[in-house]
Amino acid sequence: MEQILPFAITNEMAVVIGLLGPYILKRCEPKIERTLSSVKTIALFRGLNAWERERKLKSLKEIRRNRNIYPIVQDEIAKCNTHFIMFCISILFYLYLSIDSSIKELFNINVWLTVSLACPVYYFEIRWLAALTKKNKLLGAMRGKRI
C-alpha cells in the first residue's frame, strides 16, 4: 500500500483518532464556522463584484455627505487644479529632459529606462484623473443631478 502521509499510522493511533476525532471535530466546528463567517465578510473573499459595489457605495456616501459643505467642494476643486498643474509641469520637465538636456542619450539606450523615467508623469496623470472624477461627481451632486 502506498503511504500518503510522511509517517506511519499504527493501530493504536488509528483507534485514538477514531474515538477522539469526532468529539474534537464537533467541539471545534462552531469556532471554525465563526472564523469562516468573519472571513466571508471581507469583500475580497466574496468576489470582485462585491468589492466594487462596496467601494461605489462608500464613494456615494462620501459624496452625499460632502455635497452641501462648500469648503470641502472648493477644496476638491483646488486639489483637482493642483494635480493638473503638477501633471503639466512634469510633462514639460520630461520634454526638456528628452529634447534639450545633457542626459537625453539615456532615452536612446533602453525603452524601459525611458518608461521608468516617465513614471512621475503617469503618477500625476492618475492623481489628476482621480481628482477630476471625484470633483465632477461632487459638483454633479451639488447641482441636483441624481447620484
Side-chain angles (χ1 to χ4, degrees), residues 60-129:
L60 286 174
K61 282 182 179 179
E62 182 182 354
I63 287 171
R64 287 179 180 156
R65 185 176 53 243
N66 294 334
R67 65 181 169 188
N68 293 325
I69 305 171
Y70 292 107
I72 292 178
V73 175
Q74 293 297 324
D75 187 46
E76 289 299 324
I77 294 171
K79 280 182 191 176
C80 179
N81 292 337
T82 302
H83 290 307
F84 179 69
I85 290 171
M86 292 300 294
F87 172 60
C88 291
I89 289 172
S90 65
I91 287 176
L92 292 175
F93 183 70
Y94 188 75
L95 284 175
Y96 167 73
L97 286 180
S98 63
I99 293 173
D100 197 33
S101 72
S102 59
I103 60 169
K104 66 180 176 182
E105 290 82 27
L106 288 175
F107 292 104
N108 298 331
I109 294 174
N110 192 352
V111 174
W112 291 109
L113 180 65
T114 306
V115 171
S116 66
L117 287 175
C119 278
V121 175
Y122 301 136
Y123 172 76
F124 287 122
E125 180 181 10
I126 291 170
R127 293 285 305 259
W128 168 57
L129 291 174

Side-chain angles (χ1 to χ4, degrees), residues 46-58:
R46 287 182 286 144
L48 292 177
N49 289 334
W51 178 71
E52 185 179 351
R53 271 189 316 230
E54 285 185 10
R55 282 192 61 204
K56 192 173 185 178
L57 179 65
K58 183 179 175 185

Side-chain angles (χ1 to χ4, degrees), residues 11-59:
N11 287 338
E12 293 84 17
M13 291 173 72
V15 169
V16 170
I17 292 172
L19 291 175
L20 296 178
Y23 175 75
I24 292 172
L25 187 61
K26 185 177 180 180
R27 297 296 260 168
C28 294
E29 187 179 8
K31 294 177 184 174
I32 292 171
E33 285 181 3
R34 273 185 272 145
T35 304
L36 288 178
S37 67
S38 66
V39 167
K40 287 179 184 176
T41 60
I42 299 172
L44 186 61
F45 290 107
R46 287 182 286 144
L48 292 177
N49 289 334
W51 178 71
E52 185 179 351
R53 271 189 316 230
E54 285 185 10
R55 282 192 61 204
K56 192 173 185 178
L57 179 65
K58 183 179 175 185
S59 172

